[in-house]
Amino acid sequence: MYFNPSGHSPHLGFIMQINTITTQPYSDQNPGTSGLRKKVRVFQEKGYLENFVQSIFDSLDETAGKTLVLGGDGRYFNRQAIQTIIKMAAANGFSELIIGQGGLLSTPAASHIIRKCEAYGGLILSASHNPGGPDDDFGIKYNVGNGGPAPEKYTNAFYQRSLTIDSYRIAEMGDVDLDTIGSTQIDRLKITIIDPVSDYAELMQSIFDFNLLKQSIGSGYITLRFDAMHAITGPYAKRILVDMLGAPEESVINATPLEDFGGHHPDPNLAHAHELAELMFGPHAPIFGAASDGDGDRNMITGSQIFVTPSDSLAIMAANARLIPAYAKGLSGVARSMPTSQAVDRVAAAYKLPCFETPTGWKFFGNLLDAGKITLCGEESFGTGSDHVREKDGLWAVLFWLNLIARKRQPVADIVHEHWQKFGRDIYSRHDYEAVETEIANGIVEHLRNQLPTLPGQTFGEFTVKFADEFSYADPVDDSVSKNQGIRVGFTDGSRIVFRLSGTGTVGATLRIYLEKFEADPAKHDQDAQEALAELIKLAEQFCEVKKRTGRTAPNVIT
Ligand code: VG1
Ligand code: CO
């Protein structure tokens, strides 16, 4: 061992030993919607993690002399993976590693650090909303220099490299102390352990009106509950909401990150954040409630007696952005992922803003943000963000809503109802069928595909099909084309049904069915979404036959 983990300087002038280890390629290292996600046990197989990391390093133009940011959501295997990656980064010539203390960095914080330190890129260790623990999921994702997830041309290259890789490089050195803040030089590699929260908290302070928030919380007008779901946002929420904004300690629940998230899915929706949901629909609900996911990039927004769909949340943010200091001059444009409801499109049309429709996954927003074509973007899957980083950002969305409530002096339900009155309501729901046998899922997609040519013009009850296609995206900045991004059936009244297979699951296939219907009449705005969408739900089954083909009677999760 050449590095003394107690933090003492290593032998000056010593050249670290680098070993080249022979390895066999794995055939399944194709990154999905957001990085490579597999069971922990798969990542623990001989050379599995090392192969993928070396495939990334091999695919990058240059690693020598570069700075890499490193951190994860703290789930099981996080620390171990970080130690391996440090040794591999050293062997691949990186000159500096910036690592969150304890190996922790939320995804948006990692994005910010990459940008702020002008790093070459970063590795984020997370399987996001997937459960954690020895029998559950782990993941790894590479972000490029703009702070955003690597675009497809990179992820394709990583995968191609992983198919032929025959060796990886790793330095012989002891484990690094991840818990002491400060810099150490180990041979030619500088390792800097940073506080994971400070830079991010400072960024939030530069975007929102912290004085107004402090007053509104201090006066008791804003009461709140934030559920960190035993995941990464606990320390961030405590620092920002409690220490900086003065919210009572008990405003942040499940605030200690756990390696297995307490055995729960760290997925912020009404099903998984049930403790929060019960409170918000009960008699003692605070004015505002929110939750975030495993790696801190998702957000669920609720108010007393109301749940705000992520699609509505994006539209409401877009409509009110001028009330937030950082967006006071207005937005350059907005974007949403294809399955996200068209609510934000209505705001864009009213305010004459450019509006883009991208495939699912944050990597498609990066070019639009970099080119200044959009300021705000979001997905139906509880993701919203802006040009302040290149990832979706859970706590940012929470602060945005708090700032909005403070400025408008209105409870969440009033803000939402006023919005619907002005723009109409896009009634929306997503039905997930999880862990479907891969063959059956592929059969469903094939069956849907076969119907596409015949659907347009056909009428089903009150719905007439206007278009039926497979979504393809041509990036307006670099002209790259991404095909097969989900099957869409659009109706003449603007209603839609979208079908896609998930790219983040680790067991079988997950079919997602997205349903939406526009309702202009304010008298009908309080309808239950499942009831209002009942006809479309039936039609979706008629088209895809998921129940018939799987023998299931209902989706696993409805959001
Ligand atoms: C899901 C969501 C997608 C999101 C992705 C990553 O992908 O649908 O909108 O970008 O998760 O989010 P898929 O392919 O399973 O539908 V996270 O919070 O896991 O980084
Ligand atoms: Co996430």
Side-chain angles (χ1 to χ4, degrees):
M1 194 198 298
Y2 303 114
F3 166 58
N4 179 345
S6 66
H8 296 280
S9 300
H11 236 78
L12 275 183
F14 183 79
I15 303 296
M16 173 191 290
Q17 160 114 18
I18 291 168
N19 295 325
T20 300
I21 312 287
T22 308
T23 188
Q24 299 288 323
Y26 287 90
S27 61
D28 66 346
Q29 299 196 322
N30 194 6
T33 313
S34 181
L36 183 70
R37 293 188 191 174
K38 299 285 172 197
K39 291 282 171 210
V40 167
R41 301 231 185 269
V42 173
F43 270 103
Q44 286 170 329
E45 281 170 36
K46 190 162 180 275
Y48 195 91
L49 171 70
E50 291 85 347
N51 276 17
F52 189 63
V53 171
Q54 189 65 52
S55 298
I56 293 173
F57 291 164
D58 285 350
S59 309
L60 301 176
D61 285 343
E62 176 113 60
T63 50
K66 304 290 188 196
T67 299
L68 187 73
V69 171
L70 193 53
D73 64 10
R75 68 178 60 223
Y76 184 84
F77 198 55
N78 191 54
R79 278 180 177 261
Q80 227 173 310
I82 285 185
Q83 295 293 354
T84 301
I85 295 170
I86 291 172
K87 291 165 196 162
M88 291 185 66
N92 280 274
F94 281 97
S95 61
E96 184 171 11
L97 294 179
I98 299 173
I99 308 173
Q101 187 181 27
L104 300 179
L105 276 178
S106 78
T107 292
S111 182
H112 176 54
I113 301 288
I114 294 170
R115 295 165 66 75
K116 187 175 173 185
C117 302
E118 296 181 5
Y120 189 65
L123 283 171
I124 302 178
L125 309 180
S126 168
S128 189
H129 57 287
N130 299 20
D135 298 318
D136 280 306
D137 296 355
F138 190 73
I140 178 164
K141 181 169 88 160
Y142 181 72
N143 281 29
V144 294
N146 75 351
E152 276 188 331
K153 66 170 191 243
Y154 285 83
T155 53
N156 289 339
F158 303 161
Y159 177 48
Q160 288 309 321
R161 178 66 190 131
S162 75
L163 294 173
T164 57
I165 193 162
D166 56 11
S167 68
Y168 62 84
R169 287 191 295 286
I170 189 156
E172 254 185 50
M173 56 192 268
D175 279 356
V176 167
D177 170 8
L178 299 175
D179 299 307
T180 311
I181 288 178
S183 293
T184 337
Q185 188 77 30
I186 306 170
D187 208 334
R188 293 201 192 110
L189 178 67
K190 181 180 177 190
I191 297 182
T192 304
I193 306 291
I194 58 164
D195 175 281
V197 181
S198 304
D199 297 283
Y200 177 83
E202 221 172 80
L203 176 67
M204 292 303 111
Q205 211 165 2
S206 74
I207 296 174
F208 301 106
D209 188 342
F210 270 39
N211 285 331
L212 174 68
L213 284 172
K214 255 189 270 179
Q215 278 167 24
S216 306
I217 291 171
S219 71
Y221 178 70
I222 289 186
T223 49
L224 71 120
R225 190 68 58 96
F226 177 81
D227 188 346
M229 304 191 82
H230 292 301
I232 190 76
T233 47
Y236 292 84
K238 277 200 145 169
R239 178 87 61 86
I240 296 170
L241 300 175
V242 178
D243 300 348
M244 295 170 82
L245 297 176
E249 193 87 37
E250 60 273 18
S251 307
V252 182
I253 58 171
N254 300 320
T256 307
L258 299 176
E259 285 196 332
D260 66 350
F261 309 114
H264 303 294
H265 282 245
D267 195 352
N269 57 45
L270 292 177
H272 293 306
H274 53 86
E275 189 180 342
L276 180 75
E278 270 160 38
L279 175 76
M280 297 310 296
F281 288 95
H284 306 294
I287 193 170
F288 180 79
S292 190
D293 71 333
D295 61 330
D297 56 358
R298 294 189 179 204
N299 71 88
M300 175 175 78
I301 302 296
T302 65
S304 176
Q305 319 307 319
I306 189 169
F307 160 72
V308 188
T309 71
S311 297
D312 279 343
S313 174
L314 174 64
I316 292 167
M317 285 178 167
N320 294 286
R322 281 178 188 274
L323 297 177
I324 308 295
Y327 313 106
K329 293 204 179 91
L331 307 172
S332 63
V334 292
R336 61 164 171 84
S337 69
M338 182 272 282
T340 302
S341 96
Q342 298 158 84
V344 73
D345 303 30
R346 301 180 204 287
V347 176
Y351 296 140
K352 302 202 169 37
L353 292 173
C355 180
F356 299 85
E357 184 180 40
T358 58
T360 294
W362 213 259
K363 55 178 172 271
F364 297 99
F365 293 131
N367 276 347
L368 297 171
L369 290 162
D370 284 352
K373 288 182 181 295
I374 60 168
T375 313
L376 214 64
C377 46
E379 297 192 277
E380 52 63 43
S381 54
F382 300 81
T384 349
S386 87
D387 59 359
H388 68 290
V389 287
R390 293 294 180 274
E391 287 278 4
K392 54 189 187 267
D393 190 344
L395 266 172
W396 166 89
V398 167
L399 291 165
F400 195 118
W401 268 92
L402 288 171
N403 203 154
L404 216 59
I405 295 167
R407 273 301 299 273
K408 290 173 94 75
R409 280 249 153 198
Q410 274 181 314
V412 176
D414 291 8
I415 295 177
V416 173
H417 280 101
E418 252 178 36
H419 184 88
W420 287 344
Q421 247 162 33
K422 191 161 169 196
F423 296 96
R425 177 181 173 195
D426 292 86
I427 303 177
Y428 189 84
S429 184
R430 182 175 109 183
H431 290 194
D432 293 334
Y433 290 83
E434 292 173 346
V436 174
E437 258 176 69
T438 310
E439 245 173 64
I440 296 183
N442 290 339
I444 288 173
V445 172
E446 214 29 59
H447 178 61
L448 284 165
R449 222 170 246 153
N450 292 338
Q451 295 168 73
L452 293 179
T454 61
L455 285 178
Q458 283 198 57
T459 298
F460 302 90
E462 58 176 296
F463 299 102
T464 301
V465 178
K466 187 173 169 196
F467 66 90
D469 64 9
E470 215 158 352
F471 182 58
S472 167
Y473 177 66
D475 186 303
V477 179
D478 67 12
D479 293 326
S480 60
V481 175
S482 305
K483 293 187 177 148
N484 304 335
Q485 297 295 325
I487 288 174
R488 313 188 284 185
V489 182
F491 300 93
T492 48
D493 68 347
S495 300
R496 287 194 314 170
I497 307 176
V498 173
F499 305 89
R500 280 186 64 245
L501 293 185
S502 154
T504 58
T506 58
V507 187
T510 292
L511 176 71
R512 304 201 194 287
I513 305 177
Y514 310 80
L515 307 134
E516 74 178 287
K517 185 184 174 192
F518 181 64
E519 184 54 75
D521 181 0
K524 295 186 183 160
H525 283 167
D526 277 326
Q527 287 178 88
D528 173 77
Q530 303 310 313
E531 282 167 26
L533 296 169
E535 282 304 309
L536 285 173
I537 294 170
K538 265 194 231 152
L539 257 186
E541 174 60 22
Q542 186 178 326
F543 294 156
C544 79
E545 299 181 344
V546 61
K547 288 183 182 150
K548 186 170 153 199
R549 287 167 184 247
T550 58
R552 300 190 189 191
T553 52
N556 301 71
V557 183
I558 295 181
T559 48

